[in-house]
Amino acid sequence: MKLSFAAMLLLCLLLSFSFFQLSSAASGFCSSKCANRCSKAGRKDRCLKLCGICCSKCKCVPSGTYGNKHECPCYRDLKNSKGKGKCP
């Protein structure tokens, strides 16, 4: 009984570590893509925040600093509370 509990605990720790690694990798992806996307923005901190939110939901960021939203339909279609495009 104690051995199976210890084995389950070890398995849970290994799984949680692998999920942490995946989320860290996704975070690095989003931060680098959003840094490129927002490099010419006038309000860079706001652009980076919104781009990060959109990237984490959509798992993609359009190339370039403006436009090209056809490359990522999810990113293009996210709307704010006023019905306007959310993602920079």
Side-chain angles (χ1 to χ4, degrees), residues 59-70:
K59 310 292 188 250
C60 64
V61 176
S63 62
T65 56
Y66 185 79
N68 300 324
K69 290 188 177 180
H70 64 279

Side-chain angles (χ1 to χ4, degrees), residues 4-15:
S4 64
F5 177 74
M8 290 296 284
L9 183 62
L10 183 62
L11 180 63
C12 289
L13 286 172
L14 289 172
L15 286 174

Side-chain angles (χ1 to χ4, degrees), residues 18-33:
S18 66
F19 285 126
F20 176 74
Q21 279 187 317
L22 288 174
S23 66
S24 296
S27 173
F29 168 80
C30 288
S31 62
S32 65
K33 290 287 192 177

